[in-house]
Amino acid sequence: MSADPVPKGGDGYASAVPITTGNPAADAADDFNRARRQHVVGRLASRLRGAPADVDVILPFDEVVLALGQRGLRDLGLRMVDLDTVVGTVDRTRDFDRSFRPISNRPRQRFERLAAAIRRGEPIDPIDVYRVGEAHFVRDGHHRVAVARALGIPSLEGHVTEVLTAAGADRELRLHDLPLKGSERLFAERVPLPAEGRTRVRLGDPDDYGTLAENVEAWGFRAMQDSGILLDRPAVAAAWFTDEYVPVVDLLREAGLIGRDEPETEAYLRLANERWRLLRTWRWDEDVIDRLRASRSKR
């Protein structure tokens, strides 16, 4: 792949790259020093904002795929890869942060050599990445990604292998999200919802997914007892979402029992548990709604 000339201002990358001096070696050294400073400043800013400690930690591919549940691989061939989506690594490198800024001086020599070559307009090979949802993980080409980002180059050609997973992932995924994603994956195996259900049914506490799965399975058992028809997991999940979840969430919202900023699934689970604690019933009717509303008003 032939690298584009280093931007010199007025072309969209001026804020990321200083004007070149015409000396590629000196400019490459400045590129590395600037990237190191950006890492240090970024860490300080994250601490001052009270951001999670892992906000800048590069994502480990193996742990992410374990949490999401691998279902298959698909070779996508050569594609242009948006470098903003490259947030992880296969080999668990300790040389770069999540934004591929160097976190020590260890990669300096290789970084500067590659930066100087790109500044001279020399070709570089495509990177090799795994795609998981919206995120990319580097198999080969960590320094190429780091230098390109330091130079303000928005994308690189790469060989892309897509990893198909049970639970989805976006480019905002962080290390501390993995327990929740793991619980989401296990829930999806127990309750294989249709597409709309997977979009709407969301919880913020990993343990709540297990509780909700038990609720759905209990609902499915009662439904089969009433109908005398044996249903598999996808059929139970689809029936629960259509016949229970959607109408009940609409009912609870109309009754004013779901807070304005409260996620609907968390409200559904909270009120379903409260209904059982107060009334020992699985029904949803006017009496149940009135009792729940009365209980809420007493707090």
Side-chain angles (χ1 to χ4, degrees):
M1 168 189 166
S2 294
D4 293 331
V6 176
K8 300 180 182 180
D11 56 2
Y13 307 127
S15 61
V17 181
I19 295 175
T20 179
T21 66
N23 183 332
D27 291 338
D30 182 66
D31 294 332
F32 183 86
N33 292 333
R34 188 176 65 258
R36 281 282 293 125
R37 288 195 300 271
Q38 288 172 347
H39 165 72
V40 173
V41 171
R43 286 191 61 190
L44 178 60
S46 295
R47 289 185 180 181
L48 293 176
R49 292 196 309 268
D54 64 353
V55 67
D56 290 326
V57 175
I58 195 167
L59 281 176
F61 173 79
D62 289 340
E63 292 181 31
V64 170
V65 171
L66 179 64
L68 299 182
Q70 183 173 336
R71 292 292 178 266
L73 295 173
R74 183 165 56 193
D75 189 344
L76 301 181
L78 288 176
R79 302 283 182 92
M80 293 305 296
V81 178
D82 180 357
L83 296 186
D84 283 342
T85 68
V86 181
V87 295
T89 177
V90 173
D91 66 9
R92 197 64 183 268
T93 178
R94 297 182 179 180
D95 290 337
F96 304 104
D97 65 12
R98 181 187 176 92
S99 298
F100 279 80
R101 298 171 299 202
I103 61 178
S104 71
N105 282 322
R106 185 164 52 184
R108 175 184 288 275
Q109 185 176 7
R110 191 171 174 185
F111 183 108
E112 291 182 3
R113 184 169 63 249
L114 182 58
I118 292 177
R119 283 182 170 276
R120 288 192 296 267
E122 296 178 10
I124 60 173
D125 294 330
I127 59 176
D128 192 353
V129 298
Y130 281 121
R131 175 182 295 173
V132 182
E134 298 177 353
H136 289 94
F137 297 76
V138 179
R139 298 175 68 186
D140 181 57
H142 296 82
H143 290 78
R144 279 163 275 171
V145 172
V147 171
R149 293 201 67 161
L151 295 178
I153 298 172
S155 61
L156 289 176
E157 188 177 42
H159 182 270
V160 180
T161 302
E162 184 176 25
V163 182
L164 306 176
T165 56
D170 58 32
R171 67 181 69 182
E172 301 304 320
L173 185 69
R174 296 295 194 276
L175 203 59
H176 65 263
D177 295 324
L178 296 186
L180 182 63
K181 283 294 182 180
S183 294
E184 181 184 335
R185 172 182 61 82
L186 293 174
F187 176 80
E189 293 174 356
R190 294 174 63 178
V191 186
L193 291 166
E196 182 186 359
R198 292 195 300 271
T199 299
R200 288 186 58 174
V201 176
R202 286 285 182 269
L203 293 164
D205 186 330
D207 293 337
D208 283 347
Y209 273 110
T211 303
L212 182 59
E214 291 174 0
N215 273 261
V216 176
E217 290 168 347
W219 183 93
F221 177 78
R222 293 192 302 275
M224 286 187 284
Q225 290 286 301
D226 291 342
S227 67
I229 300 173
L230 181 64
L231 302 174
D232 61 13
R233 286 187 180 274
V236 168
W240 171 81
F241 180 72
T242 301
D243 300 337
E244 163 78 1
Y245 182 80
V246 173
V248 168
V249 166
D250 291 343
L251 175 65
L252 295 174
R253 185 173 284 115
E254 291 174 6
L257 290 172
I258 298 181
R260 178 180 300 178
D261 299 322
E262 185 176 19
E264 65 176 35
T265 308
E266 294 184 9
Y268 168 85
L269 184 60
R270 174 179 59 81
L271 291 164
N273 290 338
E274 189 172 352
R275 171 196 60 181
W276 177 251
R277 181 179 63 82
L278 291 173
L279 306 174
R280 295 294 190 271
T281 180
W282 296 103
R283 303 185 335 269
W284 290 105
D285 54 30
E286 290 299 325
D287 179 59
V288 170
I289 297 299
D290 289 343
R291 292 280 297 275
L292 289 175
R293 187 185 290 114
S295 173
R296 194 176 185 187
S297 67
K298 292 177 182 178
R299 296 178 182 176

